[in-house]
Amino acid sequence: LANTYIAKALQIVHKLQEQDKMAECLDRRGNIKKLQGDYDGALQNYNKSVEINLKIDTKEGLHISNSYNNLGRIYSDQGKYDDAITIFEKSLKIELSILGDNHPGIAAIYNNIASIYDYQAKYDDAISMYEKSLKIELLLLGDNHPEIATKYSNIGLVYHHQSKYDEAVSMFEKSLKIQLSVLGDNHPNTAAIYNNIGLVYNDQGKYDDAVSNFEKSLEVNLSVLGDNHPDIARIYSSMGIVYHNQGKYDEAISIYEKSLKIRLSVLDDNHPDIAITYSNIGSSYIRQGKYDEAIPMYEKSLKINLSVFSDNHPNIATTYSNIGLVYNHQGKYDDAISMYEKSLKIELSVLGDNHPSIATTYCNMGNVYDKQSKYDEAVSLYEKSLKIRLSALGVNHPDIAATYTSIGLVHAHQGKYNDAVFMFEKSLKINLSLLGDNHPDIATTYNNIGTVYDNQGKYDDAVSMYKKSLKIDLLVLGDKHPNLAVTYNNIGLAYANQGKYDDAVIMFEKSHKVDLSVLGDDDHHDVATTYSNLGLAYFHQGKYDESLFMFKKSLKINLTVLGDNHPYIAITYSNIGTAYDHQGKYDDAVTMFKKSLKIHLSALDDNHPNIAITYSNMGTVYDNQGKYDDAVSMFEKSLKISLPVLGDNHPSIAITYANIGRVHSHLGNYDYATSFYERAATILVDANLQNHPGLVNIYNNLAISYDKLNRHNDANVMRQRSNDVARSLQQVDTINQTFTSTIDQARDQQIQSRQISNPNSNSGDNDSYTDTQQSHDQALKQKQYFNAYMQALQYGSCNNKVIRAMYTGAEFVGKSSIMRVFTKQLLVDHQHPTQIADQSDKMVHLKVYKIKDRTTYNLRQIWDNNIHQIVQSKYQNQIDNQQISKIQQRSSDLHLQINHFHKSDDIQPITVNQPNTNITLTSPRTTTTSLVENDLFIQQCRRFFQHYYPSWINQSTDDSQYAKIWDFGGHSIYHVTHQPFLSGNSIYFLVFNINQNIHDKVLTRDGKSLNTTYLQSMQEWLTSIIGGNANQDKITATINDDQAEYSLPIVILVASLRCRVIT
């Protein structure tokens, strides 16, 4: 409509030949074009106006100055900042000569120049210009005029850009006070100030306050402007940003779409504000992992910006950067760099080489190089960014803190953990001063520090940091934000590294729950990461099938989200391969590792650490298969990649040296093995990782090699060091391994990174169970223990020392009390009934006692002692060569070699300990079996268990018989559960109450009579017991010097006095 009237006006003035009116009409049509986003059309009209005015007024009067101002604003919108400044200065010169220093027109030009300086990040210059403008207007208009309020708002915007949040809010409040007194509380200017205050609160992480201000702004504008105005769309966009930051991505997208609908109806289809809305929607799609949906949004934005602006506009550079971010998430690193370079080229040409936007692009490129493990290039770019930001923003800006964080992440990836913590602490100091104690950025920094502590083996410190982070995020973001999922994951990883796998699973499940609440379904990379972490926890627990199930769920999601050639797909194949390796499925494992390698080689640089890790994993499988030459070749390939990328002193290098040493040890090359183990230990100690879990195993392996080389004193020193490290870690369980899974770094700062029951707690019943024995509980769960146990049972001379003692009988006859008497425990008053059905994890109560003296024992202790005697018996009796050959075929189960998940510095390789003997190990590849091999294998078994159970070195032979008590509930509801547990190879104690007539009805604990008599109950039990014995086995026993033959099962009737115990 405005264009129509302007067109009619132009026709009239053209007929009248009034040139000054013609110029005025052209300026107004230019203003309309500008509002429509048609900057070229606006520029064309303004230039025509200038030409007319120059013809009218050759002395460059106020009409010319006005046209210059219009041109300057267009140049500003087009990102041609230097041209804008030049034009504004021409206008200023004209008006100063005509109007003098204190005219509103002069103040307006100062205001325009200040806005350009703000765009150029010349914030001090901007403030100076706004203050010049303010000074003039205060002189002319007084201190309570809307123009004064506008100046305060403009100054507030600059403070906001400088992250001087308190100063910004102060300026906006001064502005608001004036607007309310002059214009009232229902004016668009008042609404604009509410919006500005809301944006500051958003950056401060005060999201509720931000939304409150946006809602105030919205209420005002709806009442004044209606529901279809660009200012309404602007407020919706502001609210969308807050929802995005809160992790409410669906709400963010919904409100962005409301904004888009308004803008499409009011503005031209190619307006820059529409491009901005498309970009906002794309950013929320990224956080949801919907990369394929994000790209079209950015492409729409790019298409609009290219049509509106020249090829060199900052908005176009921003869109290229956004597309680069998507490619980065997709693992398309070369494409990401290409986009960032396009962005950088534009920014350098438009903004110069010292603008914060340039610094941001350098940081984005550094992030890609970090993911590609091009650490030197990454640090170089981060330092470029830091230099720009320090000069443009000062030393106390959030962007400075972010740069320190980025450098710290690279140091962490390089294994320079102290340097990383130093950088994170610098970042933390800045953010605490700017944002206070409870901002999400503070929580992120605590997370990063925690991850470093985790990598250093300082697990308690790591968990402490994660919990600090968690506390802040819960307070600020609520319990349904992606940051919480990251922190739960990180805590879970720390617990897993401590061997607290049940606790780890709980944390991973919490993370999964948060992700589902935020993301809506499983099809997101973050959910896949949690499944991977669950898989790692199950792997540690020896639950390989469950572990594989989780890895495959992760794989399925990532294939859908990321495609089949992303590095995360390769990592999942590698994890699956590791699980196969521990199941003994070596060919399947190699297949998985080759798949992983193929992807890594195509997606990453040839010298990426992930490729080195894959080679190492393959080397471990080859070692397990006895393909020692192939194993060494793989480890050396891994080393060749890792050394130039990570340097000589990275923990990953140490682990690779240890792996090579292990293979040489298997080959009997103890000099070589010793050399590699020593190098590995030196690296970890020099890196201030004296308590790294890997040292427990490296020192033990060194002890083995030193013994082989007759350096027994050195061997003893190494064993002591190993024990010292283990104690410092509060775990002697040297089988425990650290796994760090990859959590997407853009989820910020897991560093991927990364989140029960305590294996060090005593789960037995014997209070004398020592701390050292407690710490071995986890080892009992390992595959190696059970494999060795089964082999010993099959091929050794074994006496089953534990039999079942089944306590049966009617309800409330005293079974539990009789059981306590048999185990020499105190009787208790008001003994609680045995309640089994209530507990889904326990169908019977188990206790073990020695029949001879009725002393209670821990079942694991008995198993441990039994295995000791079995291995000792093998050693003494020299089992025959045929048995040795069979066992040797399976003896690889005693070699627990740890595969690399990610990261490689978390791996702790284990080898079988060698005895103090001069016997030479014959290569397992030989086809002959000698007495020497037999002797060595037995000693290997012996040393293996001595390593994990030093307490049984001095144990004496134990020929005792033990009873494992099964205390059955007598309630009739439990009877259906009894039958599966009954067999002939047990002793049954059928308990009855001698105070009751055998023909009376059974009394319950609360005094009620049942339909069943005591006699019928005993008959029922006898029927069940005898019916559960399918064979007719008999045993010979001597009772009171009388030898007799008895049919199984054995049932002993026990009479109880079911009366109150007097205390």
Short mmCIF file of all heavy atoms in Angstrom, two decimals, residues 369-417:
data_model
loop_
_atom_site.label_atom_id
_atom_site.label_comp_id
_atom_site.label_asym_id
_atom_site.label_seq_id
_atom_site.Cartn_x
_atom_site.Cartn_y
_atom_site.Cartn_z
N TYR A 369 39.80 -29.66 13.65
CA TYR A 369 41.16 -30.19 13.70
C TYR A 369 41.38 -31.02 14.97
O TYR A 369 42.09 -32.04 14.95
CB TYR A 369 42.18 -29.06 13.62
CG TYR A 369 42.31 -28.46 12.24
CD1 TYR A 369 42.44 -27.08 12.06
CD2 TYR A 369 42.32 -29.26 11.10
CE1 TYR A 369 42.56 -26.52 10.80
CE2 TYR A 369 42.43 -28.72 9.83
CZ TYR A 369 42.55 -27.35 9.68
OH TYR A 369 42.67 -26.81 8.43
N ASP A 370 40.77 -30.60 16.06
CA ASP A 370 40.86 -31.37 17.30
C ASP A 370 40.25 -32.75 17.11
O ASP A 370 40.83 -33.77 17.52
CB ASP A 370 40.15 -30.61 18.42
CG ASP A 370 40.30 -31.28 19.77
OD1 ASP A 370 41.22 -32.09 19.93
OD2 ASP A 370 39.50 -30.98 20.68
N LYS A 371 39.07 -32.81 16.48
CA LYS A 371 38.44 -34.10 16.23
C LYS A 371 39.27 -34.97 15.30
O LYS A 371 39.23 -36.19 15.37
CB LYS A 371 37.04 -33.90 15.66
CG LYS A 371 36.01 -33.43 16.68
CD LYS A 371 34.62 -33.46 16.10
CE LYS A 371 33.58 -33.12 17.16
NZ LYS A 371 32.21 -33.18 16.66
N GLN A 372 40.00 -34.31 14.40
CA GLN A 372 40.86 -35.06 13.47
C GLN A 372 42.21 -35.40 14.11
O GLN A 372 43.06 -35.99 13.47
CB GLN A 372 41.09 -34.24 12.20
CG GLN A 372 39.87 -34.10 11.31
CD GLN A 372 40.17 -33.29 10.07
OE1 GLN A 372 40.60 -32.15 10.14
NE2 GLN A 372 39.91 -33.88 8.91
N SER A 373 42.36 -35.01 15.38
CA SER A 373 43.61 -35.22 16.12
C SER A 373 44.78 -34.45 15.52
O SER A 373 45.93 -34.81 15.71
CB SER A 373 43.95 -36.71 16.22
OG SER A 373 42.96 -37.38 16.94
N LYS A 374 44.49 -33.37 14.81
CA LYS A 374 45.54 -32.47 14.33
C LYS A 374 45.72 -31.39 15.40
O LYS A 374 45.31 -30.24 15.25
CB LYS A 374 45.15 -31.86 12.99
CG LYS A 374 44.98 -32.90 11.88
CD LYS A 374 44.52 -32.25 10.57
CE LYS A 374 44.36 -33.28 9.46
NZ LYS A 374 43.88 -32.68 8.20
N TYR A 375 46.33 -31.83 16.49
CA TYR A 375 46.32 -31.01 17.69
C TYR A 375 47.12 -29.72 17.54
O TYR A 375 46.72 -28.67 18.04
CB TYR A 375 46.83 -31.82 18.88
CG TYR A 375 45.99 -33.05 19.16
CD1 TYR A 375 46.56 -34.31 19.28
CD2 TYR A 375 44.61 -32.94 19.29
CE1 TYR A 375 45.79 -35.43 19.53
CE2 TYR A 375 43.81 -34.06 19.55
CZ TYR A 375 44.42 -35.30 19.67
OH TYR A 375 43.65 -36.40 19.90
N ASP A 376 48.25 -29.79 16.85
CA ASP A 376 49.04 -28.57 16.68
C ASP A 376 48.27 -27.53 15.88
O ASP A 376 48.26 -26.33 16.22
CB ASP A 376 50.37 -28.89 15.99
CG ASP A 376 51.29 -29.71 16.88
OD1 ASP A 376 51.10 -29.67 18.11
OD2 ASP A 376 52.18 -30.41 16.35
N GLU A 377 47.60 -27.98 14.80
CA GLU A 377 46.80 -27.05 13.99
C GLU A 377 45.64 -26.47 14.83
O GLU A 377 45.32 -25.28 14.73
CB GLU A 377 46.23 -27.73 12.75
CG GLU A 377 47.28 -28.12 11.71
CD GLU A 377 47.76 -29.55 11.87
OE1 GLU A 377 47.92 -30.01 13.04
OE2 GLU A 377 47.98 -30.20 10.84
N ALA A 378 45.04 -27.33 15.65
CA ALA A 378 43.92 -26.87 16.48
C ALA A 378 44.39 -25.80 17.45
O ALA A 378 43.77 -24.73 17.58
CB ALA A 378 43.32 -28.04 17.24
N VAL A 379 45.49 -26.06 18.15
CA VAL A 379 45.99 -25.09 19.14
C VAL A 379 46.37 -23.78 18.45
O VAL A 379 46.10 -22.69 18.96
CB VAL A 379 47.18 -25.67 19.92
CG1 VAL A 379 47.86 -24.58 20.74
CG2 VAL A 379 46.72 -26.80 20.83
N SER A 380 46.99 -23.89 17.27
CA SER A 380 47.38 -22.68 16.52
C SER A 380 46.17 -21.80 16.23
O SER A 380 46.20 -20.57 16.41
CB SER A 380 48.08 -23.07 15.23
OG SER A 380 48.35 -21.94 14.44
N LEU A 381 45.07 -22.42 15.80
CA LEU A 381 43.87 -21.65 15.49
C LEU A 381 43.22 -21.08 16.76
O LEU A 381 42.73 -19.95 16.77
CB LEU A 381 42.88 -22.51 14.72
CG LEU A 381 43.26 -22.76 13.26
CD1 LEU A 381 42.41 -23.84 12.65
CD2 LEU A 381 43.12 -21.48 12.44
N TYR A 382 43.20 -21.87 17.82
CA TYR A 382 42.65 -21.36 19.07
C TYR A 382 43.46 -20.17 19.59
O TYR A 382 42.90 -19.20 20.12
CB TYR A 382 42.62 -22.46 20.13
CG TYR A 382 41.59 -23.54 19.90
CD1 TYR A 382 41.86 -24.88 20.20
CD2 TYR A 382 40.33 -23.23 19.39
CE1 TYR A 382 40.91 -25.87 19.99
CE2 TYR A 382 39.38 -24.21 19.17
CZ TYR A 382 39.67 -25.53 19.47
OH TYR A 382 38.73 -26.52 19.26
N GLU A 383 44.77 -20.22 19.41
CA GLU A 383 45.60 -19.10 19.87
C GLU A 383 45.38 -17.86 19.01
O GLU A 383 45.40 -16.73 19.51
CB GLU A 383 47.07 -19.52 19.87
CG GLU A 383 47.40 -20.51 21.00
CD GLU A 383 48.83 -21.02 20.96
OE1 GLU A 383 49.49 -20.84 19.89
OE2 GLU A 383 49.28 -21.61 21.95
N LYS A 384 45.14 -18.06 17.70
CA LYS A 384 44.76 -16.93 16.84
C LYS A 384 43.46 -16.31 17.34
O LYS A 384 43.32 -15.08 17.43
CB LYS A 384 44.58 -17.40 15.39
CG LYS A 384 45.85 -17.51 14.58
CD LYS A 384 45.48 -17.82 13.12
CE LYS A 384 46.68 -17.78 12.21
NZ LYS A 384 46.31 -17.99 10.80
N SER A 385 42.51 -17.17 17.62
CA SER A 385 41.21 -16.71 18.12
C SER A 385 41.39 -15.94 19.42
O SER A 385 40.81 -14.87 19.62
CB SER A 385 40.28 -17.90 18.33
OG SER A 385 39.07 -17.52 18.91
N LEU A 386 42.20 -16.50 20.33
CA LEU A 386 42.41 -15.87 21.63
C LEU A 386 43.02 -14.48 21.47
O LEU A 386 42.60 -13.52 22.15
CB LEU A 386 43.32 -16.75 22.48
CG LEU A 386 43.59 -16.27 23.91
CD1 LEU A 386 42.31 -16.23 24.72
CD2 LEU A 386 44.63 -17.18 24.58
N LYS A 387 43.98 -14.34 20.58
CA LYS A 387 44.64 -13.05 20.36
C LYS A 387 43.63 -11.99 19.90
O LYS A 387 43.62 -10.86 20.39
CB LYS A 387 45.76 -13.20 19.32
CG LYS A 387 46.57 -11.94 19.09
CD LYS A 387 47.69 -12.21 18.08
CE LYS A 387 48.49 -10.93 17.81
NZ LYS A 387 49.57 -11.18 16.80
N ILE A 388 42.77 -12.38 18.97
CA ILE A 388 41.74 -11.44 18.48
C ILE A 388 40.78 -11.07 19.60
O ILE A 388 40.46 -9.90 19.82
CB ILE A 388 40.97 -12.06 17.30
CG1 ILE A 388 41.89 -12.24 16.09
CG2 ILE A 388 39.76 -11.20 16.93
CD1 ILE A 388 41.27 -13.06 14.97
N ARG A 389 40.31 -12.07 20.30
CA ARG A 389 39.32 -11.81 21.34
C ARG A 389 39.88 -10.96 22.48
O ARG A 389 39.19 -10.09 23.01
CB ARG A 389 38.78 -13.14 21.87
CG ARG A 389 37.82 -13.80 20.89
CD ARG A 389 37.38 -15.19 21.31
NE ARG A 389 36.25 -15.63 20.49
CZ ARG A 389 35.74 -16.87 20.50
NH1 ARG A 389 36.27 -17.80 21.28
NH2 ARG A 389 34.72 -17.18 19.72
N LEU A 390 41.13 -11.22 22.83
CA LEU A 390 41.74 -10.39 23.89
C LEU A 390 41.82 -8.94 23.48
O LEU A 390 41.57 -8.03 24.28
CB LEU A 390 43.13 -10.93 24.25
CG LEU A 390 43.16 -12.22 25.09
CD1 LEU A 390 44.58 -12.76 25.16
CD2 LEU A 390 42.62 -11.96 26.49
N SER A 391 42.15 -8.69 22.21
CA SER A 391 42.28 -7.30 21.75
C SER A 391 40.91 -6.64 21.57
O SER A 391 40.77 -5.44 21.79
CB SER A 391 43.07 -7.24 20.44
OG SER A 391 42.34 -7.83 19.38
N ALA A 392 39.91 -7.43 21.18
CA ALA A 392 38.59 -6.86 20.89
C ALA A 392 37.68 -6.83 22.11
O ALA A 392 36.84 -5.93 22.25
CB ALA A 392 37.92 -7.63 19.77
N LEU A 393 37.83 -7.82 22.99
CA LEU A 393 36.85 -7.99 24.07
C LEU A 393 37.43 -7.77 25.46
O LEU A 393 36.68 -7.69 26.43
CB LEU A 393 36.25 -9.40 24.01
CG LEU A 393 35.64 -9.82 22.66
CD1 LEU A 393 35.25 -11.29 22.70
CD2 LEU A 393 34.44 -8.95 22.32
N GLY A 394 38.75 -7.70 25.57
CA GLY A 394 39.36 -7.60 26.88
C GLY A 394 39.57 -8.96 27.49
O GLY A 394 39.26 -10.00 26.89
N VAL A 395 40.10 -8.98 28.72
CA VAL A 395 40.53 -10.25 29.33
C VAL A 395 39.41 -10.95 30.07
O VAL A 395 39.59 -12.07 30.55
CB VAL A 395 41.70 -10.00 30.31
CG1 VAL A 395 42.90 -9.47 29.56
CG2 VAL A 395 41.30 -9.05 31.43
N ASN A 396 38.23 -10.31 30.19
CA ASN A 396 37.21 -10.84 31.08
C ASN A 396 35.87 -11.03 30.35
O ASN A 396 34.84 -10.57 30.81
CB ASN A 396 37.02 -9.90 32.27
CG ASN A 396 36.67 -10.66 33.53
OD1 ASN A 396 37.18 -11.73 33.78
ND2 ASN A 396 35.79 -10.09 34.34
N HIS A 397 35.90 -11.75 29.26
CA HIS A 397 34.70 -11.96 28.44
C HIS A 397 34.42 -13.46 28.33
O HIS A 397 35.36 -14.27 28.29
CB HIS A 397 34.93 -11.35 27.05
CG HIS A 397 33.69 -11.27 26.20
ND1 HIS A 397 33.22 -12.35 25.48
CD2 HIS A 397 32.84 -10.25 25.95
CE1 HIS A 397 32.12 -11.99 24.82
NE2 HIS A 397 31.87 -10.72 25.10
N PRO A 398 33.15 -13.86 28.25
CA PRO A 398 32.85 -15.30 28.11
C PRO A 398 33.53 -15.96 26.91
O PRO A 398 33.87 -17.14 26.97
CB PRO A 398 31.32 -15.32 27.96
CG PRO A 398 30.86 -14.10 28.65
CD PRO A 398 31.91 -13.06 28.39
N ASP A 399 33.71 -15.21 25.82
CA ASP A 399 34.38 -15.79 24.66
C ASP A 399 35.84 -16.11 24.95
O ASP A 399 36.41 -17.06 24.40
CB ASP A 399 34.28 -14.85 23.46
CG ASP A 399 32.87 -14.81 22.87
OD1 ASP A 399 32.02 -15.61 23.33
OD2 ASP A 399 32.62 -13.99 21.97
N ILE A 400 36.48 -15.31 25.81
CA ILE A 400 37.85 -15.61 26.24
C ILE A 400 37.85 -16.91 27.03
O ILE A 400 38.69 -17.79 26.82
CB ILE A 400 38.42 -14.45 27.10
CG1 ILE A 400 38.37 -13.12 26.34
CG2 ILE A 400 39.84 -14.77 27.54
CD1 ILE A 400 39.22 -13.05 25.11
N ALA A 401 36.88 -17.02 27.95
CA ALA A 401 36.76 -18.26 28.73
C ALA A 401 36.53 -19.47 27.83
O ALA A 401 37.12 -20.54 28.02
CB ALA A 401 35.61 -18.13 29.73
N ALA A 402 35.69 -19.29 26.80
CA ALA A 402 35.41 -20.40 25.87
C ALA A 402 36.67 -20.82 25.12
O ALA A 402 36.88 -22.02 24.87
CB ALA A 402 34.32 -19.98 24.88
N THR A 403 37.51 -19.85 24.77
CA THR A 403 38.75 -20.19 24.06
C THR A 403 39.70 -20.96 24.96
O THR A 403 40.33 -21.93 24.53
CB THR A 403 39.43 -18.91 23.53
OG1 THR A 403 38.47 -18.09 22.89
CG2 THR A 403 40.51 -19.26 22.53
N TYR A 404 39.82 -20.52 26.21
CA TYR A 404 40.66 -21.28 27.17
C TYR A 404 40.14 -22.71 27.29
O TYR A 404 40.92 -23.67 27.36
CB TYR A 404 40.65 -20.60 28.53
CG TYR A 404 41.46 -19.33 28.61
CD1 TYR A 404 40.99 -18.22 29.32
CD2 TYR A 404 42.72 -19.23 28.01
CE1 TYR A 404 41.74 -17.05 29.40
CE2 TYR A 404 43.47 -18.06 28.10
CZ TYR A 404 42.98 -16.97 28.78
OH TYR A 404 43.71 -15.82 28.87
N THR A 405 38.81 -22.86 27.32
CA THR A 405 38.22 -24.20 27.40
C THR A 405 38.61 -25.04 26.19
O THR A 405 38.98 -26.22 26.32
CB THR A 405 36.68 -24.10 27.49
OG1 THR A 405 36.33 -23.53 28.75
CG2 THR A 405 36.03 -25.46 27.37
N SER A 406 38.54 -24.44 25.01
CA SER A 406 38.88 -25.19 23.79
C SER A 406 40.34 -25.64 23.81
O SER A 406 40.66 -26.78 23.45
CB SER A 406 38.63 -24.31 22.55
OG SER A 406 37.26 -24.01 22.43
N ILE A 407 41.23 -24.76 24.24
CA ILE A 407 42.65 -25.14 24.32
C ILE A 407 42.82 -26.25 25.36
O ILE A 407 43.58 -27.21 25.16
CB ILE A 407 43.51 -23.90 24.68
CG1 ILE A 407 43.44 -22.87 23.55
CG2 ILE A 407 44.95 -24.31 24.93
CD1 ILE A 407 44.08 -21.54 23.88
N GLY A 408 42.09 -26.13 26.48
CA GLY A 408 42.16 -27.17 27.51
C GLY A 408 41.73 -28.53 27.00
O GLY A 408 42.33 -29.55 27.34
N LEU A 409 40.70 -28.55 26.15
CA LEU A 409 40.24 -29.81 25.59
C LEU A 409 41.31 -30.47 24.73
O LEU A 409 41.51 -31.69 24.78
CB LEU A 409 38.96 -29.59 24.77
CG LEU A 409 37.71 -29.21 25.56
CD1 LEU A 409 36.59 -28.79 24.62
CD2 LEU A 409 37.26 -30.36 26.44
N VAL A 410 42.00 -29.66 23.94
CA VAL A 410 43.08 -30.23 23.12
C VAL A 410 44.18 -30.80 24.02
O VAL A 410 44.68 -31.91 23.79
CB VAL A 410 43.67 -29.17 22.17
CG1 VAL A 410 44.82 -29.77 21.38
CG2 VAL A 410 42.61 -28.65 21.22
N HIS A 411 44.55 -30.05 25.05
CA HIS A 411 45.58 -30.56 25.97
C HIS A 411 45.13 -31.88 26.60
O HIS A 411 45.94 -32.81 26.76
CB HIS A 411 45.86 -29.53 27.07
CG HIS A 411 46.64 -28.34 26.60
ND1 HIS A 411 47.62 -28.42 25.63
CD2 HIS A 411 46.59 -27.02 26.99
CE1 HIS A 411 48.15 -27.21 25.44
NE2 HIS A 411 47.53 -26.36 26.23
N ALA A 412 43.85 -31.96 26.93
CA ALA A 412 43.34 -33.21 27.51
C ALA A 412 43.47 -34.36 26.52
O ALA A 412 43.87 -35.47 26.88
CB ALA A 412 41.89 -33.04 27.94
N HIS A 413 43.14 -34.09 25.25
CA HIS A 413 43.25 -35.13 24.23
C HIS A 413 44.70 -35.52 23.98
O HIS A 413 44.98 -36.65 23.58
CB HIS A 413 42.61 -34.65 22.92
CG HIS A 413 41.16 -34.35 23.05
ND1 HIS A 413 40.47 -33.50 22.21
CD2 HIS A 413 40.23 -34.79 23.95
CE1 HIS A 413 39.21 -33.43 22.59
NE2 HIS A 413 39.04 -34.20 23.63
N GLN A 414 45.60 -34.59 24.22
CA GLN A 414 47.03 -34.88 24.06
C GLN A 414 47.61 -35.59 25.28
O GLN A 414 48.76 -35.99 25.26
CB GLN A 414 47.81 -33.58 23.82
CG GLN A 414 47.56 -32.94 22.46
CD GLN A 414 48.31 -31.64 22.29
OE1 GLN A 414 48.10 -30.70 23.06
NE2 GLN A 414 49.18 -31.57 21.31
N GLY A 415 46.82 -35.73 26.32
CA GLY A 415 47.33 -36.34 27.54
C GLY A 415 48.07 -35.36 28.42
O GLY A 415 48.68 -35.76 29.42
N LYS A 416 48.01 -34.06 28.09
CA LYS A 416 48.67 -33.03 28.91
C LYS A 416 47.64 -32.55 29.95
O LYS A 416 47.10 -31.45 29.88
CB LYS A 416 49.13 -31.88 28.03
CG LYS A 416 50.14 -32.27 26.97
CD LYS A 416 50.49 -31.08 26.06
CE LYS A 416 51.49 -31.46 24.99
NZ LYS A 416 51.78 -30.32 24.07
N TYR A 417 47.41 -33.42 30.93
CA TYR A 417 46.29 -33.20 31.82
C TYR A 417 46.47 -31.98 32.73
O TYR A 417 45.51 -31.26 33.00
CB TYR A 417 46.05 -34.46 32.65
CG TYR A 417 45.71 -35.65 31.80
CD1 TYR A 417 46.41 -36.85 31.90
CD2 TYR A 417 44.68 -35.58 30.85
CE1 TYR A 417 46.10 -37.94 31.11
CE2 TYR A 417 44.36 -36.67 30.06
CZ TYR A 417 45.07 -37.84 30.19
OH TYR A 417 44.77 -38.91 29.41
#
